[in-house]
Amino acid sequence: MPGKRPIDPPTAELAERLREVEARLTALEEKTPSADAGTMDSNHRKGAQDNRFWVLEGLREQLGGASGGLIYSGIAPTAAGPVEWQYGHTAQEILELDDDHAAIVADRLAALGSPIRLQLLLAVLGGTTSVADLSALEAMGTTGQVYHHVRILSAAGWLRPAGRGAVQVPPDRVVPAMLALASAL
């Protein structure tokens, strides 16, 4: 064929670069968890790299004969210091809520249904507890509007008074609040 050169075999330098790229790719693939296992950070604890489902195994032990369950726990920094908490429920407890408990759950979830209330809750979790300081945050509205949202979050149990003009997330609601937010990510 006129004007076309035959393809030269790879040079030693090119072959070496190809081997390096393949080695890097293999190393990356080994670090990447399978799709059904979530992420390494969320499914592994220190020193237990070979046991991806350590939480599930512990849950199975705790459930005994129950047909299913849910456990959630966490360690979260707060302005008042770190909070550590864990909850556990059987699947039956969750799936068979009576009317009174269903109303409480609905109210708690509804309180988080406003972007401004979510931002307020995040700000309080982050250490801004004064209503005046919360009102000064961008897009929060007037002090009266902030108090309105604070009352809704307080009625739902996400906030409580922490002195004059200040609020906090109750320690037993920090992990559930973060879990509610994380489950919607």
Side-chain angles (χ1 to χ4, degrees):
M1 288 184 220
K4 290 197 175 188
R5 292 182 357 172
I7 299 175
D8 293 330
T11 64
E13 180 182 333
L14 185 57
E16 178 60 28
R17 289 187 67 196
L18 182 59
R19 278 191 292 279
E20 289 173 7
V21 168
E22 287 175 338
R24 290 172 58 195
L25 178 61
T26 300
L28 286 172
E29 287 173 340
E30 288 173 356
K31 289 182 182 179
T32 304
S34 64
D36 63 339
T39 64
M40 296 288 277
D41 292 338
S42 66
N43 288 317
H44 282 76
R45 60 182 173 179
K46 272 188 179 172
Q49 305 312 14
D50 59 337
N51 187 357
R52 285 184 187 208
F53 300 106
W54 55 275
V55 173
L56 288 174
E57 290 171 8
L59 176 60
R60 282 186 187 101
E61 286 178 25
Q62 293 297 317
L63 285 173
S67 63
L70 172 75
I71 188 167
Y72 51 103
S73 65
I75 302 168
T78 69
V83 172
E84 297 182 9
W85 206 261
Q86 79 177 26
Y87 290 90
H89 302 283
T90 66
Q92 184 175 358
E93 289 172 336
I94 297 167
L95 297 173
E96 296 177 2
L97 287 178
D98 59 37
D99 290 344
D100 291 336
H101 285 101
I104 291 167
V105 170
D107 287 344
R108 284 185 177 159
L109 292 174
L112 298 178
S114 158
I116 290 180
R117 286 194 289 273
L118 281 178
Q119 290 299 324
L120 284 170
L121 185 62
L122 289 169
V124 174
L125 282 168
T128 305
T129 60
S130 158
V131 175
D133 291 343
L134 291 168
S135 298
L137 297 174
E138 190 173 325
M140 288 298 161
T142 66
T143 302
Q145 290 169 324
V146 169
Y147 271 110
H148 167 77
H149 291 297
V150 164
R151 276 192 296 278
I152 292 170
L153 289 167
S154 297
W158 296 114
L159 295 178
R160 72 175 181 200
R164 188 177 177 118
V167 292
Q168 68 180 27
V169 177
D172 66 335
R173 302 307 299 159
V174 170
V175 172
M178 294 180 81
L179 178 67
L181 297 172
S183 70
L185 293 177

